[in-house]
Amino acid sequence: MAGAIIENMSTMKLCIVGGILFVFQIVAFLVGGLIAPDPTSVLHSTATKCIDVQKNHHKTKWFMPWGPNQCEKISSFDEALKRQIEANDIVFAVHIPFISKEMSPWFQFMLSIMQLDIAFKSNNFIQDNATVTLDVTMAYRNDLNGKWIELAHSLEQRKLKCKLPTPKTQVTEGQYYECDLIPLMELGSVAHKYYLVNIRLPVNERKKINIGIGEIKDLKLTTIFQNGGFTKVWFAMKTFLTPSILIIMVWYWRRITMMTRSPILLEKIIFALGISMTFINIPVEWFSIGFNWTWMLLFGDIRQGIFYAMLLSFWIVFCGEHMMDQSERNHFSRYWKQVGPIAFGSCCLFIFDMCERGVQLKNPFYSIWATDVGTELAMAFIIVAGICACLYFGFLCFMVFQVFRNISGKRSKLPAMSKTRRLHYEGLIFRFKFFMLITLACAALSVIFFITSQVNEGPWTWDETTVQVNSAFFTGIYGMWNLYVFALMFLYAPSHKNYGDDQSNGDLRVNSAEELQLTTTITHADGPTEVFRLAGKEAQE
Amino acid sequence: MQIAQSWRLPVEGRPSRERRTMTGIGLLLTAAVLSSYTQLPAEASSWWSLALNPIQRPEMYIIGAQPLCSQLTGLSPGQRKLCQLYQDHMVYIGEGAKTGIKECQHQFKQRRWNCSTVDNTSVFGRVMQIGSRETAFTYAVSAAGVVNAISRACREGELSTCGCSRTPRPKDLPRDWLWGGCGDNVEYGYRFAKEFVDAREREKNYPRGSEEQARTLMNLQNNEAGRRAVYKLADVACKCHGVSGSCSLKTCWLQLADFRKVGEHLKEKYDSAAAMRLNRKNKLELVNSRFNTPTEEDLVYIDQSPDYCLRNETTGSLGTTGRLCNKTSEGMDGCELMCCGRGYDFKTVQVERCHCKFHWCCFVKCKKCTEIVDQYVCK
């Protein structure tokens, strides 16, 4: 990869390109911060307590909290006690969304979290390791007067992680427990207008089901979905970015094929990075508006995973190809030690994701965290992936260190070199430093924004203008990596200008072959350098 | 440039200035209303009575119709106007008042004054005419109850003027909903409660430096302390739902605390309440200047508490005669303190239900057995 555009560009032109990219970066942030609303919205609902009065007559009866066919309700369980209603006859009903609202495919996904209000009673308290068993059904309809159609039905178990805010000795009757949020369901598409959730907590004393779970006062459902406005802005961004990256990819590949030599590894991997970026960019999500594609969420995860794996591999290869030692690389298999952890870690995360979101395609109420075995398995996958990530970053840091050491080694020898070799090394050093600079900048920006979004809890108000920080984070970071890939393909494409008078832009193999030759012939001339080189090699080994 | 997170803005931003201006406007506006308004009766009725008289659901009335608001007792003219504008809120104000009173009774269960309600109009009786610590707590806890109830109703789409309303609003709403969802409107509860609860105080126009003026300032301060308690104790809950459930995508919302916590918080404020008096600038100042000046989150009082030991028609104290007490306790609930040294009677009670079996909600299976429990009652 000798003679990339970046080396032959004048500083002014480089600044102009940088400036344009910077402007696009700012635009990407502003689009998210000013145009788009917050990425997600929350709906809070307290479940209506319905009584299953005619349980035996209709088996599949839906309980509506309001409307013409609403169920028979009770306002509190004290009433149930008086009327001698049993726990098995109570159905919690939640309609999503509220009256006079409709859900829409623009919402993309929907997930619900359950919260139980449990009161402490000295003779009815939550036992250790209590699990709650939920008989939960979900139905949908697209017409307010239509019939409910079952979407999913499942018997789920969830652990109750509750604690009392005050020590048990001082606790008064009726004090509420502080319970962890319980994830209930996750839908990968919101294709219907109205959803209904019916939850029962069946009691079976013989099987010890739902015994010792305290006195439940209320069941609350918090539903999270993506905002339609954010989806629209996101789609628009993807639709705009896809052709931009595609065009630069075509241009880049044409440049490479125009050359006489076959493409080298670094060129191939930059192209692969472009492909994976385009894979993320292609706005297939548009179809989710018309079709009920529940696998969209999983597909999105996979696409992101592929891109990250590609990006990490690219960094390794880039460092390796700029090592400036004499070993012959230019083959992907030479990097198995570094790329191995990436592949293995990605596989772990993929399996984990398939276990969670993959199964959720069939049963939206499924959660791998609900059972002990599942939790251990999930943790195992995540820990293995974490170890892989640590290994990878260890390798990467070591490689970057090696490159910098070689650079400083080469620096001292530069004046003594022939023009061709000097230009070759200067080019390598410049390319590498420039690359390190923008990569570090992008990574730092990503990390900063990630941390901000974690700490941040709401939009920021800036003199009457509300800035949606979370949206800005998403569009900004997404735009940034697109620009990064764009810049890489543009700046690291082979240049048509020649090095010097005597050297045409041959490929690296020719170069290194020539270099080897050069080293053997020149060594006599510069002895100290030879010593230095040997020392360097030793240190490397 | 001021950067603030919008969730905390209404409370920790600049409410003090806001309140002062609003008080000013309120005074101006209500001066005209009050010119025809006669002196309050000796036992002032209060909006707290909404807690005791069940309010019918607003669906029963046509929006803008009068009956609901004119039927409700205990509303001041300003509150009645708000009632007409926001009829659907009244149910929740009633609910909030009820929660407040219940919490008050829970917190003061073991005190000589136990927050007992007397009748349907003045609710707590004449004791509330004394600007005591107890009065301060009652105002604060009921204001907190309203913030709590309105916020809950608002976020569940029960109110027409906030968040996701139940009733269809102009055409732009469905588009808003599709674009940005409902928006979390917990601060609405705070703002509305401020308007409604403080209306009664703001529309009075007492001469500068008068006893009533001091009382008005005290009530406003305590109402604010109550409202802030709800906000202060609300915490943020978050859910991560990014790639593989990672936190790359995170949604947060404000979660109101269990009202018991609000009660406990206000009880602490009650214990550390500051005694105040009106100064020449017509502001409340500390009686004992060695203490710290109370913040907007603190409770203040202007009068010493009356003697709650004996029944007293003038102060409205009910006395502790007939109250249950704990023989072994040395605290306020102990028979010595509770009965104010008058002694106590012994009472045995037979409990018939025991060894009950509970399910999570309701079904109770009990054995029948007799158990004798000793109870002590103040003379």
Side-chain angles (χ1 to χ4, degrees):
Chain A
M1 190 180 172
I5 284 182
I6 183 170
E7 294 160 54
N8 298 316
M9 233 178 179
S10 68
T11 318
M12 217 207 21
K13 273 187 191 161
L14 199 63
C15 283
I16 292 170
V17 171
I20 292 168
L21 291 179
F22 187 71
V23 167
F24 272 107
Q25 178 63 72
I26 298 292
V27 169
F29 275 118
L30 291 184
V31 163
L34 299 178
I35 299 173
D38 210 37
T40 48
S41 265
V42 183
L43 272 185
H44 302 273
S45 18
T46 306
T48 308
K49 305 173 194 86
C50 293
I51 319 166
D52 191 357
V53 264
Q54 31 187 323
K55 188 166 54 179
N56 305 322
H57 301 289
H58 308 275
K59 258 247 140 162
T60 52
K61 201 190 142 210
W62 298 101
F63 293 86
M64 265 292 284
W66 39 258
N69 287 318
Q70 57 182 281
C71 65
E72 196 185 326
K73 301 178 225 177
I74 45 170
S75 55
S76 77
F77 289 126
D78 299 336
E79 205 178 320
L81 207 62
K82 271 180 229 150
R83 288 171 55 182
Q84 296 204 316
I85 297 163
E86 288 185 36
N88 285 340
D89 294 340
I90 284 167
V91 181
F92 291 97
V94 178
H95 189 275
I96 304 167
F98 300 138
I99 298 178
S100 84
K101 300 286 178 303
E102 288 174 2
M103 296 307 268
S104 140
W106 288 103
F107 293 156
Q108 295 288 296
F109 68 84
M110 180 164 88
L111 54 103
S112 282
I113 304 148
M114 191 176 76
Q115 254 180 305
L116 292 170
D117 281 353
I118 305 176
F120 171 80
K121 287 280 159 74
S122 53
N123 46 19
N124 187 17
F125 52 86
I126 301 182
Q127 267 138 33
D128 295 336
N129 301 323
T131 49
V132 57
T133 308
L134 308 159
D135 178 4
V136 51
T137 41
M138 191 168 190
Y140 68 88
R141 68 180 178 188
N142 289 311
D143 172 18
L144 266 181
N145 302 312
K147 273 186 99 168
W148 288 107
I149 303 156
E150 186 174 294
L151 187 75
H153 178 200
S154 176
L155 200 69
E156 288 296 322
Q157 288 203 324
R158 296 284 189 270
K159 271 194 216 90
L160 268 187
K161 285 179 200 140
C162 297
K163 61 177 198 304
L164 280 163
T166 39
K168 222 169 190 172
T169 44
Q170 296 167 21
V171 162
T172 43
E173 294 273 301
Q175 180 145 23
Y176 280 16
Y177 281 93
E178 279 174 2
C179 291
D180 285 1
L181 302 170
I182 304 168
L184 184 68
M185 61 120 196
E186 202 165 335
L187 278 183
S189 72
V190 190
H192 308 288
K193 284 180 183 167
Y194 309 104
Y195 291 87
L196 179 71
V197 182
N198 280 180
I199 303 171
R200 290 166 194 267
L201 301 172
V203 176
N204 188 329
E205 273 184 61
R206 258 190 314 121
K207 288 181 186 162
K208 292 261 173 219
I209 292 172
N210 284 338
I211 299 290
I213 54 170
E215 189 174 298
I216 296 172
K217 292 281 186 192
D218 257 319
L219 188 150
K220 285 170 185 164
L221 217 59
T222 306
T223 308
I224 298 171
F225 55 86
Q226 186 164 312
N227 278 329
F230 182 78
T231 313
K232 283 175 186 171
V233 171
W234 193 246
F235 284 10
M237 208 165 155
K238 283 190 152 191
T239 315
F240 169 77
L241 285 170
T242 308
S244 325
I245 296 288
L246 259 180
I247 287 165
I248 196 83
M249 252 169 72
V250 170
W251 174 86
Y252 174 79
W253 199 243
R254 216 174 59 88
R255 278 248 159 164
I256 286 168
T257 47
M258 265 162 69
M259 287 187 306
T260 46
R261 60 178 173 83
S262 59
I264 55 163
L265 176 65
L266 193 55
E267 285 163 350
K268 281 189 221 157
I269 201 147
I270 289 182
F271 189 67
L273 192 66
I275 292 174
S276 63
M277 191 82 244
T278 316
F279 190 46
I280 286 199
N281 282 346
I282 291 174
V284 276
E285 284 95 338
W286 282 112
F287 290 107
S288 69
I289 303 302
F291 303 94
N292 181 14
W293 285 356
T294 43
W295 45 269
M296 223 53 194
L297 221 54
L298 182 68
F299 186 58
D301 284 3
I302 293 170
R303 288 199 292 178
Q304 275 195 50
I306 290 173
F307 173 72
Y308 287 132
M310 210 63 230
L311 188 69
L312 297 178
S313 316
F314 163 73
W315 285 345
I316 283 288
V317 171
F318 192 93
C319 287
E321 296 296 298
H322 286 76
M323 200 60 101
M324 286 178 279
D325 53 9
Q326 301 319 311
S327 53
E328 170 75 18
R329 288 196 175 77
N330 200 23
H331 205 277
F332 202 63
S333 56
R334 289 294 302 268
Y335 297 99
W336 68 270
K337 222 176 4 177
Q338 289 88 354
V339 175
I342 305 175
F344 194 67
S346 312
C347 279
C348 281
L349 286 180
F350 174 69
I351 295 169
F352 165 70
D353 211 47
M354 281 306 283
C355 289
E356 175 91 1
R357 287 209 165 138
V359 180
Q360 274 168 0
L361 295 181
K362 270 262 159 257
N363 175 12
F365 302 108
Y366 178 82
S367 169
I368 195 166
W369 303 99
T371 57
D372 283 325
V373 182
T375 310
E376 274 164 29
L377 205 69
M379 278 318 280
F381 280 130
I382 289 169
I383 288 168
V384 170
I387 292 169
C388 287
C390 290
L391 262 176
Y392 166 80
F393 277 103
F395 279 129
L396 185 68
C397 290
F398 181 63
M399 279 180 101
V400 170
F401 165 73
Q402 272 186 324
V403 173
F404 272 110
R405 201 188 50 192
N406 288 350
I407 283 176
S408 58
K410 280 275 159 11
R411 266 272 165 75
S412 56
K413 291 192 317 184
L414 275 177
M417 285 178 187
S418 71
K419 195 186 175 194
T420 320
R421 277 188 63 206
R422 202 178 68 226
L423 278 175
H424 170 70
Y425 280 124
E426 275 178 346
L428 274 177
I429 291 168
F430 177 66
R431 278 205 311 250
F432 186 77
K433 286 202 161 164
F434 186 82
F435 167 80
M436 278 304 289
L437 196 77
I438 52 168
T439 305
L440 275 181
C442 286
L445 215 61
S446 295
V447 170
I448 289 167
F449 261 84
F450 179 71
I451 291 168
T452 323
S453 74
Q454 295 304 302
V455 176
N456 182 51
E457 290 163 346
W460 290 1
T461 329
W462 222 303
D463 284 343
E464 307 294 308
T465 342
T466 310
V467 181
Q468 294 293 346
V469 190
N470 284 339
S471 298
F473 162 65
F474 283 113
T475 54
I477 295 301
Y478 181 56
M480 190 184 75
W481 289 110
N482 264 289
L483 289 171
Y484 178 83
V485 172
F486 185 93
L488 273 179
M489 280 199 281
F490 176 68
L491 296 174
Y492 288 71
S495 167
H496 284 184
K497 285 183 192 162
N498 286 341
Y499 257 147
D501 313 319
D502 55 345
Q503 172 69 37
S504 64
N505 52 344
D507 69 334
L508 198 69
R509 249 176 301 171
V510 176
N511 248 336
S512 43
E514 179 225 27
E515 190 180 68
L516 272 173
Q517 207 179 20
L518 280 168
T519 25
T520 44
T521 46
I522 296 169
T523 34
H524 307 290
D526 38 20
T529 333
E530 178 64 52
V531 174
F532 185 86
R533 167 159 297 169
L534 280 171
K537 273 246 147 139
E538 264 165 19
Q540 257 177 53
E541 279 149 22
Chain B
M1 243 186 220
Q2 190 190 5
I3 308 167
Q5 291 195 350
S6 69
W7 281 1
R8 299 287 175 183
L9 186 67
V11 177
E12 275 150 28
R14 343 150 243 215
S16 58
R17 203 195 323 157
E18 191 186 312
R19 193 182 73 183
R20 230 174 295 136
T21 51
M22 270 164 87
T23 318
I25 296 163
L27 285 173
L28 282 172
L29 278 174
T30 49
V33 181
L34 277 173
S35 57
S36 60
Y37 194 67
T38 48
Q39 184 65 41
L40 288 164
E43 265 185 52
S45 58
S46 169
W47 61 271
W48 292 325
S49 60
L50 298 182
L52 308 177
N53 311 321
I55 304 165
Q56 271 157 320
R57 291 265 157 185
E59 287 109 349
M60 304 287 288
Y61 299 96
I62 308 151
I63 302 293
Q66 298 285 323
L68 173 73
C69 297
S70 51
Q71 271 170 22
L72 295 176
T73 50
L75 295 184
S76 77
Q79 285 173 333
R80 205 169 293 278
K81 263 190 185 165
L82 280 170
C83 168
Q84 277 156 18
L85 285 170
Y86 306 98
Q87 287 210 11
D88 52 350
H89 290 45
M90 288 302 130
V91 186
Y92 301 100
I93 289 178
E95 242 168 52
K98 205 189 269 170
T99 337
I101 293 169
K102 251 186 170 167
E103 189 53 37
C104 177
Q105 284 170 350
H106 174 83
Q107 294 295 336
F108 282 82
K109 207 165 52 188
Q110 298 173 344
R111 296 273 183 150
R112 284 179 187 162
W113 177 74
N114 64 349
C115 210
S116 47
T117 52
V118 184
D119 54 47
N120 275 348
T121 49
S122 69
V123 183
F124 295 106
R126 291 180 69 96
V127 265
M128 284 299 125
Q129 294 193 341
I130 302 161
S132 62
R133 270 175 198 261
E134 289 74 30
T135 310
F137 180 84
T138 317
Y139 273 77
V141 84
S142 49
V146 174
V147 178
N148 200 57
I150 295 283
S151 301
R152 274 190 203 287
C154 178
R155 59 164 46 187
E156 295 197 2
E158 308 279 348
L159 302 177
S160 57
T161 44
C162 79
C164 277
S165 65
R166 227 169 217 282
T167 47
R169 272 203 292 167
K171 274 181 186 153
D172 63 303
L173 194 77
R175 230 174 59 219
D176 279 358
W177 152 254
L178 187 60
W179 182 262
C182 281
D184 208 358
N185 247 326
V186 182
E187 66 194 64
Y188 179 89
Y190 171 85
R191 284 206 311 271
F192 185 83
K194 193 191 191 85
E195 283 290 322
F196 184 85
V197 178
D198 285 356
R200 166 175 289 275
E201 310 302 328
R202 284 206 310 269
E203 66 200 18
K204 288 175 196 164
N205 199 4
Y206 292 115
R208 284 170 68 87
S210 66
E211 184 101 330
E212 290 86 354
Q213 170 76 22
R215 182 59 200 277
T216 303
L217 290 174
M218 168 188 150
N219 290 350
L220 285 172
Q221 160 92 33
N222 294 329
N223 288 343
E224 179 67 19
R227 285 191 296 265
R228 284 186 179 225
V230 178
Y231 245 83
K232 203 187 158 192
L233 294 175
D235 59 347
V236 180
C238 290
K239 164 82 182 157
C240 292
H241 48 93
V243 183
S244 307
S246 71
C247 245
S248 63
L249 194 59
K250 197 178 80 165
T251 305
C252 295
W253 61 94
L254 212 54
Q255 203 164 27
L256 293 173
D258 174 19
F259 202 71
R260 178 61 38 88
K261 273 191 170 172
V262 178
E264 274 159 12
H265 173 83
L266 287 175
K267 182 72 186 304
E268 274 168 34
K269 294 284 176 194
Y270 162 87
D271 289 330
S272 63
M276 308 291 268
R277 65 169 171 235
L278 208 61
N279 66 9
R280 285 199 205 97
K281 288 184 207 147
N282 219 28
K283 296 259 162 60
L284 288 180
E285 65 167 20
L286 277 168
V287 172
N288 191 338
S289 53
R290 273 182 307 163
F291 296 128
N292 291 335
T293 323
T295 63
E296 302 221 279
E297 284 171 14
D298 291 322
L299 297 185
V300 297
Y301 64 95
I302 48 171
D303 297 328
Q304 283 304 315
S305 301
D307 181 15
Y308 293 114
C309 279
L310 296 167
R311 193 178 182 87
N312 186 334
E313 291 297 329
T314 346
T315 58
S317 164
L318 293 172
T320 58
T321 311
R323 290 277 303 278
L324 295 177
C325 61
N326 185 349
K327 200 187 165 205
T328 48
S329 168
E330 302 222 333
M332 272 315 292
D333 61 330
C335 288
E336 201 54 42
L337 283 169
M338 179 67 86
C339 307
C340 309
R342 293 188 307 266
Y344 47 88
D345 286 330
F346 181 78
K347 200 164 98 178
T348 55
V349 180
Q350 287 184 335
V351 179
E352 275 195 89
R353 277 153 103 207
C354 58
H355 304 300
C356 290
K357 229 177 196 172
F358 288 94
H359 288 168
W360 56 267
C361 77
C362 26
F363 183 59
V364 193
K365 217 179 349 189
C366 293
K367 276 183 189 163
K368 269 189 183 172
C369 52
T370 43
E371 197 185 347
I372 292 163
V373 175
D374 295 340
Q375 280 187 340
Y376 302 91
V377 181
C378 288
K379 275 185 185 165

